[in-house]
Amino acid sequence: MTITKEQNGSAVTLLLSGRLDTLTAPELEKAVQAASDAQSLVFDFANLDYISSAGLRVVIAAHKQFVSKGGLVVQNVNEMVRDVFEVTGFNGILTIR
């Protein structure tokens, strides 16, 4: 997985490509922690091919971390990832664009 960070003022966008799974979830955790000073966080999943339960755990932890700030947005979600969010109920918790 590749993570690209973009900062626009107090907002941070993390663009992910590849697979978010057990092996790569720790990389995303580190990127979220590095962005902890931001007021809002955006995950851009335009190039994310796969998400596992380990990836979902990192996404929900980031949501909990940023909900009291400017929030977390997940954008550009492909059909496979959207299906995972629907089956797990994350689509009712997360802001997905």
Side-chain angles (χ1 to χ4, degrees), residues 78-93:
N78 68 30
E79 187 176 334
M80 188 280 304
V81 174
R82 187 175 300 276
D83 288 346
V84 171
F85 284 161
E86 289 175 5
V87 167
T88 60
F90 279 35
N91 61 329
I93 299 169

Side-chain angles (χ1 to χ4, degrees), residues 35-46:
S36 64
D37 290 340
Q39 287 302 305
S40 63
L41 182 64
V42 176
F43 287 143
D44 190 320
F45 284 178

Side-chain angles (χ1 to χ4, degrees), residues 1 3 14 16 20-33 41 43 45 51-66 72 74 85 90 94:
M1 179 181 69
I3 302 171
L14 298 176
L16 281 66
L20 178 51
D21 56 22
T22 304
L23 297 175
T24 58
E27 293 175 48
L28 182 57
E29 280 181 311
K30 288 178 187 172
V32 170
Q33 288 308 314
L41 182 64
F43 287 143
F45 284 178
I51 188 167
S52 73
S53 59
L56 291 172
R57 181 184 54 78
V58 176
V59 170
I60 203 68
H63 167 74
K64 289 178 182 178
Q65 181 177 345
F66 281 87
L72 170 76
V74 181
F85 284 161
F90 279 35
L94 301 171

Side-chain angles (χ1 to χ4, degrees), residues 5-13 35 37-41:
K5 177 183 173 183
E6 295 179 354
Q7 184 144 6
N8 185 6
S10 63
V12 170
T13 299
D37 290 340
Q39 287 302 305
S40 63
L41 182 64

